[in-house]
Every structure is written in C-alpha cells, then in structure tokens.
Amino acid sequence: MRSTQEGEYPLEKAGAAPESLPGMKTEAQVSKSSLTKALPPEIELSEALPRSQTWEDKRIANWPPMVWVSKSEDLKTRMAKALAWEIQAGEAQRRASQCRPVDVLEVEATEALNQKPLPEKVQVAEKEKSEVFFTRPCWSNKVEYILTQVGYSMKISSMWRFFLLWLHNGGCSFLIIYILMLFLVGVPLLFLEMAAGQRMRQGNIGIWKVISPWIGGVGYTSFMVCFLTGLYLNVVNAWTLFYLGQSFHFPVPWEKCPLLENSSDFDPEGARTSPSMYFWYRVTLKASDRIEDGGSPVFSLNLPLLVSWCLVGAFMINGLKSTGKVMCVLVPAPYFIILCLLFRSLLLEGAAFGFQHLLLAKISAMYNMNVWCQAGNQVLFALGLGFGPVVSLSSHMYPSTNCLSDAFVVALVNLFTMLLVTSFSFCVLGFWATIITHHCNEKNAETLAKLVTLGKLPVEAQPPPNLADNPSSIFNSWLSRLHQPIKDMVLSYVTECNLEKQFLKVKAGPSFALVAFIETMSLIPGSVFWSILFFLLLLTLGLSSMIGIMQGILTPLQDTFSSFRNHTKLLTVVVFVLMFLCGLFFTRPSGIYCIRLLSEYWTVLPITIIIILENIAVGWAYVARRFLEDLAIMWGPLASPIIRWLWCFLSPVVLLALFVITLIHLSLKTITYVAWDSNISKEVLRQYPSWGLLVMIALFLIVTLPIPTYFVYCLTQRISFTPTSQGKPVISSKSLPLIQPTPIEEVQKEEIL
C-alpha cells in the first residue's frame, strides 16, 4: 500500500475494496458482512455503480455524490462485484421465511466496532433510532406473486364485457384488433406499472411523487377510483353468493314462476315474463322501476355482502403470507371449472350453432374506429391498469426479478382465460336459443291444434302430433309443405320462432344476456349441480379480483402512514368494515342502476387520465431511457429501443386518442340504463335523470382534483418536473431499512477531490 506522501490517497479514501487485496480483512468489513446478511435483496450497492444511488427521503440524509479516482478496476469489474454482492444478499434473504425488520440494537452494536465517528450529515435522528426500522414484506415465491396478478386481472365484468364486445363488434375481427392493442399498448403499460412498483418499492400513492413530483397527485386519484370500484365489485360477489345459496334447492327457484301466497295461482307479474327474469329483478334485486326510487338496502343481500367481505378479510388478515396461499387455490380453481363447463356445453344441442357465431368475422369492423376504441378500453380494464393494485402487488416483489416476462405471462393468461369463457358462453347461449325456439314451436303447435278443434282453421292446419324429438325442425318442415293460402292463415295465428333472431336477442343488454345464461343452467340435465358449479366459478373469479383490489387500497395506506404498519390487522378490519357500510348503498332497489352508471360510463375517463399521466411520468419526466438503464443494472439488457419507443411515442398517442374518442362518444350519446317495469314485467330503456349526470361529473372532478392540486403545489414550491437526482438511479427510502453505514461505506460515499 502506498503512503499518502507519494501522491496517492489511502486505499479507503480511494474507494477501493479492502477485500481486493490478499490477506486483508478489516473489522469494519466484518461488521459490514454481518449487516449484509440482514439486508433485504432490494438494497443496491451504490459503490458498485459509476453513478451514486440517492436516498430521496430528505428527512434522513442526503449522500453527497461520489467520484471514483481509482483506475485499477474497470467498470465491468465493479458492476460484476455489485451484482455478485446483490445475488449473495438475495440468496440469504430467500433462505429466511420472510423479510424481517432490522433492529436498531444490531445497528448500534455494529457501530461500536467502527473507529471513525460518522459525520453529522449522515447521522440518524434520535427519534428514528428508537424505532424498529421497517423492511417491506416480500412474496414467499414468484408463483404466488404471478397468481395474485393473474387473479386480480380475472374480473367478472371484464370477462363478460369481452364476450359482449366479441358478439357486437365483428367476432374474430374484434379478436385481431384486441390482440394488436394488447401487445402494442397493454403489455408495455403493464410492464411499466410492474417495473415502477418493483423498482421504487412503494404503493400507488407515493411512487409517482418519486418518479415525477408534478404528477404526484395521480396516486391519490388512482386510490379513490380503486376504492369506489371495490365498493360495487363486492356487491356483485354478494349477488353470486345469493344465487349460490338458492342453487341448493331442487328445482332451482328461477326454473318456474312463483305462486301467490295461500294460492295455487301464479304471480301475475311472473306470469308475464320468464321465471329467470322475474327471479333476477324481483327476488334478488327487488329492483325499483326507476333510479329515482331509492329505498333502504335489500335485507336479503345484506347478509351475502357481509359474508363476502368476511371471506376477503379472512384471506388477507395475515398479509402476504396468507394471501399468497389463498391465491394458489382461488386462481387455478376457475380453470378446472371452466374446462368442465366447456366440455359439457360442447355436448349440448345447439352448441354447434353457437360455435358458428363464435367463428364469424366481419371485415368491416377492421375499419371501424369505434371498434378500435372499445378494444383499447377493454385492454386497459382487462389488465386492471390505472387502478393501483398492479403497482402495489409488484412493490412486494424482489427487485432483482425481471418483470418483463411477468407482464407477458399475465397478459397471455388473461387472454387465454377470456377466450375460454367466450367459447363456453357461445356454446351455452346457442343451446339456450335452441331450447327457447323449441318451446316457441311447441306453443305454436298447441295453439294451432286448439284452433282446429274450435273450427277456426281447416283440418289441413292440424300440426304434427309428435314434436318431442326435434320440435323446430319438424314444425318448420311441416309448415313449409302447406299450401300458400293455408300457410298464410296459420302464420296469422302463430308467433315467429327464428333461431337466429333468438340468439341475437342477447345483444339487447348485458343483464338480459346474464339472465339468459343463468336460465340455461336450469335447462341442462342435472341443473342443480351445474348451477352450483357455475356460481362457484363466478365466486372464485370475484374473490380473487377483490383481493387484488384491496391490496391496492391497504398497501398505499401502510406506505403513507407509517403507524399503520404496526397494526396491519386492525387496519384491515377497519377498512373492510368501512367499505361494507358504504357498499350497502349499492344493495338498495336502485343500486343496480348506480352500478351501471359507474361501471359503464364513469370509470373509463379517470382511468384513462391516470394511465396517460403514468406513461408521461416514466416516459418523459423520469425519461424512459434512464428508467430502462436502471432496470438493466439489476436484470441485464432489455429490449430498450422497442419498449422506449412504445412508452414515449405509441402509447401516449393511443391513450390520448382513446380519451378523446371516448369523451366525444359520451358527450354525444344519451346516457341510458335498462330498468325493470313492474307494470308490464319487461325491461325498458330509460334515460338517467339530470341529477345523476351531475353526480357523475362531480364525482369525476373530486377524484381528479388531487392531480391539479399537487401540480400547483409543486409550481409554488419550485419543485422540478423531473426527479431531483437527475441522471442517477432513484430509490425511495421508505422501501429500505434505514441503517447507518459503516465507516467504509461512509467514506466511499464522500466526494474525493
């Protein structure tokens, strides 16, 4: 070792590693190695980088920039040592059952070995010395993390909306458009949220303040949208639980019209409609005729709603440890049920007719801008972008894990699931249309037989006596053989029974299609078993998506308010009770109309704004190239030119176009809803009242208010648009244990002149 008189700095002040010299091992190095075992793998080594890491939390310390003067080691060697150190720390961490907090006593014991006191600028406040430093909990393994992301994306509403869009917008042509939008916009944005959460190790509220202070308000907007969405999504689970409980009756109660009390006559309102439609509106929802007709929460739905919240709470009460294990059951189970239902539906009569509609393609849909817009919005909702759970879930994953492959896996599994559900839905609805057409022809035959008996029709109009084998085919072939005068007389007394028109009735509205689907379950032989299986499918999908939604609410709260970390179970209970009480609003007789207003018209605008701002924050404020370089330090080279181009140019343009087209479409469209008219026992189309539109606009302004408010705050405080550590990797201090460095670490972070 050269002396300082020879014009060289001592080894420690030159930033070199003492262990690089043979036979040297200092006491500080021993203490450093002991602390390394306690560090989680997300801690990165600033001394191994050509640029220093910065701690963004100004309350703790600001490490001065570091200048390397040692020329004996090249950049590759230093980076290799840093990666080796990180891998070693990661392996030690994975051997532990979970990330544990580092006690301040351990830190102080290590400090006793140090001979050089720490400078004042890096000393930790006395108040923080007395606390046990927080280390972020991590997923037990990557499988649980991927399953939770997949489960969150499998929302019932997204699956059903994909089926309806396929049916309305050109069939396979819509699928081609959807796949293009998925891989050009959906996967890059999903990777953006995953990488941001995994890199910054924060929930959805604080992460955007670190990436771009001017856009910091978007986290609060995302949190509020996630909260409102969770309120009515669990009401859907309550409906499912109510139907599941009723499915154990034989026959199922929506198979026949109900009788009047103390009478053998049918309910007049039920006699005018189908049993399944009556059960949905009058028994389950107890729906009012208009949204203006309020009423108290429906008692028969309050208990299922409470059970639903209790189930989600029980799954999440112990944090990630219990959540991951539950998702290992909740996510694979729907695939087993879907496959069983799909194989059974393929054997049903009329399944081939439904499958033909599945394979139809309209070339004109490829040139329809509205179809592209709906496909783009469906991509955003199917992947759950902008709500916050994707960021929150990925913030608990090890930073050394490459999440680009995770984004592709989640997107492909989500697409595969929707294709399975769509195939099953077309086969089942083909069976439903066939059975309804058979019943229609049987009623026509009964009507003609009575008219012939009464002498109103000639004997030649007597229908075939036996229609049991194939009523539609036998009746239509008999009708086609009649002479034209008699045929005209017959057609004047019967209703039209057309299989094609009956199948296309599902386009009338989402509620009609859902009711038709439920009715079909009661028509399949062994209806009780298949009904239970179908509602178990809906329940598992609903619970897995709700777990993701709630993780997007609880994680930001714990990150924002540090006191909540010490009472996680109490926080979980309080939040769930609050959301249960607020969710009772949607169990009122008019609650279904409020849910449609939010889900079909309101949510799309704030979500699109959130995703646009997230894209700007990473692509332009933080700078996409810099963000990808930070990721490459941990993961190795990425397809940065492609992803950077998608983030900076294609995604912002597509998102802005989606927002403008959606806004124009909503402003020109009459905002309507399908309501139940008890006087005629039919669904009718009504227009939302003016006060409902005002409430929707006011709610939109409230949830987006944090964005301009935080922007104005940054302007008044002269806060930069880009992160303060320009040109340097950024790590939020809230995601790391606050540990005082050893003398070697402290000296390596000094600026060498």
Side-chain angles (χ1 to χ4, degrees):
M1 180 182 298
R2 297 181 182 179
S3 65
T4 56
Q5 287 82 2
E6 295 176 352
E8 295 283 338
Y9 284 96
L11 179 63
E12 292 81 9
K13 293 194 174 184
E19 63 269 24
S20 61
L21 296 179
M24 291 192 64
K25 189 168 185 179
T26 64
E27 293 180 354
Q29 183 179 355
V30 175
S31 63
K32 177 178 177 179
S33 62
S34 64
L35 276 179
T36 302
K37 298 179 180 179
L39 293 177
E42 62 263 23
I43 293 187
E44 301 173 7
L45 306 180
S46 57
E47 59 264 38
L49 302 176
R51 301 172 300 185
S52 65
Q53 304 282 3
T54 62
W55 294 67
E56 285 300 311
D57 195 344
K58 298 180 181 179
R59 298 172 301 174
I60 308 303
N62 289 323
W63 301 110
M66 175 176 53
V67 179
W68 294 90
V69 297
S70 176
K71 298 182 179 179
S72 60
E73 292 184 54
D74 58 3
L75 178 61
K76 292 183 179 179
T77 305
R78 292 197 299 272
M79 291 184 65
K81 287 185 177 181
L83 292 176
W85 191 6
E86 181 180 356
I87 292 172
Q88 182 181 2
E91 292 176 352
Q93 177 63 32
R94 289 183 177 87
R95 287 195 298 266
S97 60
Q98 60 181 1
C99 297
R100 65 180 183 89
V102 180
D103 198 339
V104 77
L105 297 178
E106 182 180 354
V107 178
E108 292 178 349
T110 307
E111 292 174 4
L113 299 176
N114 300 334
Q115 298 177 358
K116 181 178 178 180
L118 292 174
E120 293 182 359
K121 59 183 179 181
V122 296
Q123 287 182 351
V124 180
E126 291 297 329
K127 180 179 179 181
E128 294 176 350
K129 282 185 178 180
S130 61
E131 298 178 358
V132 175
F133 297 117
F134 171 72
T135 303
R136 196 173 195 81
C138 305
W139 294 100
S140 300
N141 52 70
K142 190 174 182 178
V143 174
E144 294 182 1
Y145 165 68
I146 294 295
L147 288 177
T148 307
Q149 289 280 16
V150 170
Y152 162 66
S153 68
M154 297 194 313
K155 294 181 283 293
I156 300 174
S157 56
S158 298
M159 303 291 173
W160 193 247
R161 188 183 293 114
F162 183 83
F163 159 70
L164 293 177
L165 289 174
W166 187 304
L167 186 64
H168 286 256
N169 295 295
C172 291
S173 299
F174 171 78
L175 177 62
I176 296 174
I177 297 173
Y178 181 86
I179 292 177
L180 289 175
M181 296 291 289
L182 177 66
F183 287 103
L184 293 178
V185 179
V187 173
L189 292 176
L190 180 62
F191 171 61
L192 183 148
E193 289 198 356
M194 283 184 171
Q198 194 168 319
R199 180 74 176 89
M200 302 303 175
R201 307 285 287 164
Q202 282 203 43
N204 200 47
I205 291 180
I207 184 174
W208 306 111
K209 300 177 185 178
V210 178
I211 294 178
S212 176
W214 283 16
I215 309 178
V218 73
Y220 297 97
T221 298
S222 177
F223 177 84
M224 287 188 284
V225 174
C226 185
F227 183 87
L228 290 174
T229 304
L231 293 181
Y232 66 79
L233 273 186
N234 220 21
V235 175
V236 178
N237 292 336
W239 298 342
T240 304
L241 282 172
F242 181 80
Y243 266 96
L244 181 61
Q246 298 294 324
S247 298
F248 289 93
H249 294 83
F250 182 80
V252 289
W254 53 87
E255 186 175 343
K256 295 182 179 180
C257 290
L259 301 175
L260 292 173
E261 294 184 5
N262 302 323
S263 176
S264 59
D265 298 330
F266 290 108
D267 187 336
E269 187 176 355
R272 293 191 296 264
T273 185
S274 64
S276 57
M277 190 73 70
Y278 177 85
F279 187 84
W280 167 247
Y281 279 108
R282 302 304 293 165
V283 178
T284 304
L285 302 178
K286 292 182 171 55
S288 58
D289 289 358
R290 298 177 181 273
I291 192 175
E292 295 90 341
D293 304 332
S296 58
V298 178
F299 180 77
S300 58
L301 289 178
N302 293 343
L303 181 59
L305 181 62
L306 178 62
V307 172
S308 179
W309 279 113
C310 289
L311 286 175
V312 179
F315 295 157
M316 301 185 65
I317 194 67
N318 291 323
L320 298 183
K321 183 177 180 181
S322 62
T323 301
K325 300 301 183 291
V326 169
M327 297 305 284
C328 289
V329 177
L330 284 181
V331 177
Y335 292 98
F336 173 76
I337 299 176
I338 291 174
L339 290 176
C340 292
L341 292 173
L342 178 61
F343 291 148
R344 181 65 183 93
S345 64
L346 290 173
L347 302 177
L348 296 174
E349 182 183 4
F353 178 79
F355 209 79
Q356 290 175 3
H357 279 269
L358 174 70
L359 301 178
L360 289 178
K362 294 181 181 179
I363 304 300
S364 59
M366 301 292 294
Y367 309 102
N368 191 335
M369 186 60 65
N370 186 45
V371 176
W372 284 85
C373 180
Q374 292 187 3
N377 289 331
Q378 173 62 21
V379 167
L380 303 183
F381 280 95
L383 298 179
L385 301 174
F387 290 92
V390 173
V391 175
S392 298
L393 292 172
S394 60
S395 68
H396 295 282
M397 193 58 187
Y398 295 100
S400 57
T401 303
N402 190 336
C403 65
L404 179 59
S405 58
D406 298 346
F408 275 98
V409 169
V410 173
L412 290 175
V413 171
N414 180 264
L415 176 62
F416 174 72
T417 307
M418 290 191 295
L419 290 176
L420 278 181
V421 172
T422 301
S423 303
F424 162 63
S425 302
F426 270 95
C427 293
V428 168
L429 290 179
F431 170 71
W432 169 80
T434 302
I435 295 299
I436 297 300
T437 305
H438 287 345
H439 289 172
C440 177
N441 285 311
E442 289 174 351
K443 289 183 179 179
N444 286 339
E446 293 176 2
T447 301
L448 293 177
K450 291 181 181 179
L451 293 175
V452 170
T453 303
L454 295 175
K456 294 183 179 181
L457 289 177
V459 180
E460 291 81 359
Q462 180 70 34
N466 188 8
L467 300 177
D469 295 335
N470 193 341
S472 298
S473 178
I474 297 174
F475 185 84
N476 289 331
S477 61
W478 167 80
L479 187 62
S480 63
R481 293 194 301 267
L482 292 177
H483 297 293
Q484 192 61 39
I486 299 178
K487 184 177 181 180
D488 294 338
M489 294 175 60
V490 169
L491 292 177
S492 63
Y493 286 102
V494 298
T495 58
E496 183 181 9
C497 302
N498 187 286
L499 180 60
E500 183 76 20
K501 292 182 178 180
Q502 185 65 37
F503 183 85
L504 295 179
K505 282 184 179 180
V506 296
K507 291 186 176 182
S511 61
F512 184 88
L514 177 62
V515 171
F517 210 88
I518 295 174
E519 182 180 1
T520 307
M521 292 294 103
S522 64
L523 300 176
I524 300 176
S527 58
V528 172
F529 172 76
W530 294 110
S531 295
I532 293 174
L533 206 60
F534 174 68
F535 291 115
L536 281 177
L537 168 65
L538 297 184
L539 183 62
T540 52
L541 291 175
L543 291 177
S544 59
S545 61
M546 271 305 302
I547 288 176
I549 289 287
M550 295 310 302
Q551 196 68 46
I553 295 174
L554 295 175
T555 298
L557 288 176
Q558 294 177 8
D559 290 342
T560 306
F561 305 99
S562 58
S563 59
F564 289 165
R565 301 169 189 160
N566 301 325
H567 310 283
T568 55
K569 293 185 178 180
L570 180 61
L571 173 66
T572 303
V573 172
V574 171
V575 171
F576 280 40
V577 170
L578 175 62
M579 296 188 71
F580 165 71
L581 296 176
C582 295
L584 293 176
F585 174 83
F586 296 104
T587 63
R588 299 182 310 144
S590 60
I592 179 66
Y593 310 137
C594 299
I595 291 177
R596 287 174 181 167
L597 179 64
L598 292 176
S599 61
E600 296 178 11
Y601 298 106
W602 179 80
T603 310
V604 62
L605 292 180
I607 285 298
T608 309
I609 291 176
I610 291 169
I611 300 174
I612 290 174
L613 294 178
E614 290 178 355
N615 198 171
I616 294 174
V618 174
W620 295 95
Y622 194 96
V623 182
R625 179 179 57 82
R626 173 189 171 200
F627 187 76
L628 291 171
E629 287 177 354
D630 293 347
L631 298 180
I633 294 175
M634 298 184 297
W635 303 341
L638 295 169
S640 56
I642 300 175
I643 297 177
R644 186 170 68 245
W645 181 81
L646 293 175
W647 282 353
C648 295
F649 302 105
L650 182 62
S651 295
V653 173
V654 172
L655 291 172
L656 187 60
L658 286 177
F659 178 76
V660 172
I661 294 173
T662 303
L663 187 61
I664 295 174
H665 178 71
L666 290 178
S667 61
L668 298 178
K669 181 182 179 181
T670 302
I671 309 299
T672 59
Y673 65 100
V674 178
W676 177 256
D677 192 336
S678 58
N679 296 323
I680 58 176
S681 299
K682 289 184 179 179
E683 290 182 325
V684 294
L685 197 64
R686 302 190 190 278
Q687 185 175 350
Y688 278 105
S690 56
W691 63 262
L693 302 181
L694 292 177
V695 169
M696 185 175 70
I697 295 173
L699 196 59
F700 172 77
L701 294 177
I702 291 173
V703 299
T704 55
L705 182 62
I707 297 176
T709 302
Y710 209 86
F711 174 75
V712 172
Y713 170 78
C714 291
L715 287 181
T716 56
Q717 299 296 322
R718 297 183 179 180
I719 300 177
S720 174
F721 174 64
T722 58
T724 55
S725 54
Q726 183 66 31
K728 302 175 183 178
V730 174
I731 292 220
S732 171
S733 63
K734 291 184 179 179
S735 64
L736 302 174
L738 307 179
I739 302 176
Q740 296 183 5
T742 62
I744 291 181
E745 293 173 325
E746 186 273 328
V747 172
Q748 287 177 341
K749 290 178 174 64
E750 290 183 354
E751 183 176 0
I752 307 298
L753 299 179

